[in-house]
Amino acid sequence: MYRWIGWLTRPDRLHLLGKLLAWIPPPFLLALFFGVSHLLARFGGAVSQRVKDNMSAVLGTQAPVQRLRRQYFYQVCVALYELLFVSHRLPKQGFKRFYPEGEEHLQSALQKGKGAIVYAPHIGNFFFAYWYLSQRYPCLAVVTAQSAELRPLYLIFQELGCEGLDYDETPPLVMLRKLRRHLSQNGVVFLLGDFSRPEFPLGHMFGKKTPLPRGAAMLALEGNAPVIPFYCRRKEGFAHQLTFFAPLNLHEQYEKKQTAEAMEQLYSFLEDAVRAVPAEWLYWFYVDERWTTEDYHAGEVS
């Protein structure tokens, strides 16, 4: 998948695509992406087959995997178009394409003065959600821009004023200090909690042991910051539904040393969110790689 994105974001191709797509009215663009999604689902080779197999493994054989796979590629196409060719219009357009639901949960949580952690999976156009939060709140995100293919996308939003700490370039202690300080100043920390690295501690997602980050629970338990479960999904066309859930006050349920136990509650939310909006979860193309890392953690208590 990243190779496809890298091919698309080469400057020469990007310039040409921008010129071509600029002349196509939005309804016809959506029809174009619908057609492309059918082609990718049917002729997408190993990537398409892997998406199908992973969906079947997670959602079960009774799920409409063929349809979900096509919808997945459609969502990827529309999101990439938005990121590459629409992002620069966001300051002018404002919030008219965003439909928040439950945002009062975040606002009331901030009234306590402990900051708030907005905890989300990579569902929908999470980049646009990042921009929305950055415009309305003092928001700091943790991003993973290690991939050369994805880095241009992060740079776009950096230019739009979205503040972020690069997980791969920021020393862990420096990152923790900055996040703690930001929360102590009643800021919002935006964490996408479902990315995985082999060196991460084990958690559980979809009934399988999976290396997942624990930073959300660590920050919440140390600073008594509420965690706001959240995800962004496509409402229709180029509109976005932003769903904020009631805050989780993990510090009232767990002791500081119970980070792993607190995170299991958050991992359950990630899983529920993916099952609620399966076609819009980014990681279908490689989620199976996470399940092959258990030997790395042999003997480790999850």
Side-chain angles (χ1 to χ4, degrees):
M1 179 69 75
Y2 287 159
R3 287 198 299 270
W4 290 2
I5 295 173
W7 181 91
L8 180 65
T9 55
R10 270 184 47 179
D12 54 340
R13 294 195 180 102
L14 203 58
H15 181 70
L16 178 60
L17 274 172
K19 283 189 171 182
L20 292 174
L21 297 177
W23 292 97
I24 305 177
F28 292 98
L29 274 175
L30 294 173
L32 172 65
F33 297 143
F34 185 80
V36 171
S37 69
H38 275 278
L39 293 175
L40 291 175
R42 186 169 182 180
F43 303 111
V47 174
S48 179
Q49 185 61 45
R50 200 171 179 184
V51 168
K52 178 183 176 182
D53 291 344
N54 288 339
M55 285 182 167
S56 296
V58 169
L59 303 175
T61 56
Q62 301 302 314
V65 170
Q66 297 284 12
R67 175 171 58 82
L68 289 173
R69 176 174 60 169
R70 196 271 304 160
Q71 291 176 343
Y72 170 78
F73 285 114
Y74 173 77
Q75 298 296 336
V76 169
C77 288
V78 179
L80 281 174
Y81 168 77
E82 288 175 325
L83 295 174
L84 295 171
F85 304 111
V86 180
S87 298
H88 67 281
R89 304 179 203 158
L90 284 173
K92 184 177 180 180
Q93 292 179 344
F95 305 135
K96 67 179 183 180
R97 294 189 182 276
F98 294 90
Y99 295 84
E101 178 182 358
E103 190 172 357
E104 65 274 8
H105 292 308
L106 174 56
Q107 294 166 347
S108 63
L110 289 174
Q111 291 177 4
K112 298 180 180 180
K114 299 291 185 179
I117 300 166
V118 176
Y119 185 77
H122 286 76
I123 286 178
N125 193 331
F126 46 88
F127 278 97
F128 274 29
Y130 177 20
W131 178 84
Y132 178 91
L133 290 168
S134 296
Q135 298 306 299
R136 292 180 57 79
Y137 306 95
C139 182
L140 182 63
V142 175
V143 302
T144 54
Q146 182 181 42
S147 167
E149 296 87 356
L150 294 182
R151 192 167 188 83
L153 303 179
Y154 286 102
L155 292 177
I156 289 173
F157 283 82
Q158 186 179 67
E159 293 175 1
L160 291 173
C162 299
E163 295 187 44
L165 298 173
D166 191 327
Y167 177 85
D168 299 297
E169 295 183 358
T170 308
L173 290 178
V174 173
M175 179 177 294
L176 278 175
R177 282 199 298 268
K178 289 185 176 181
L179 293 174
R180 286 169 180 156
R181 185 183 309 117
H182 191 69
L183 288 170
S184 71
Q185 296 169 348
N186 207 31
V188 172
V189 169
F190 182 42
L191 296 180
L192 291 156
D194 56 344
F195 78 101
S196 181
R197 297 284 172 81
E199 66 271 17
F200 284 170
L202 288 176
H204 292 86
M205 198 171 175
F206 306 123
K208 298 178 182 291
K209 292 180 180 179
T210 304
L212 291 164
R214 291 183 181 173
M218 182 185 302
L219 290 168
L221 294 177
E222 285 183 356
N224 296 346
V227 177
I228 311 296
F230 167 87
Y231 63 78
C232 172
R233 66 177 300 176
R234 192 167 301 282
K235 184 176 175 67
E236 57 182 13
F238 298 110
H240 305 273
Q241 178 80 47
L242 308 179
T243 304
F244 300 80
F245 294 87
L248 300 174
N249 295 307
L250 298 180
H251 62 280
E252 296 177 356
Q253 306 173 53
Y254 305 95
E255 298 179 6
K256 290 183 180 180
K257 63 182 180 180
Q258 293 181 295
T259 302
E261 291 85 348
M263 281 308 307
E264 289 296 332
Q265 187 173 348
L266 299 184
Y267 299 149
S268 293
F269 164 72
L270 295 177
E271 182 175 338
D272 291 343
V274 172
R275 293 187 185 281
V277 197
E280 297 190 40
W281 189 46
L282 173 65
Y283 286 139
W284 287 120
F285 72 96
Y286 94 121
V287 67
D288 55 305
E289 287 186 7
R290 306 174 178 204
W291 305 331
T292 64
T293 58
E294 289 189 21
D295 292 340
Y296 181 93
H297 298 270
E300 183 176 322
V301 177
S302 61

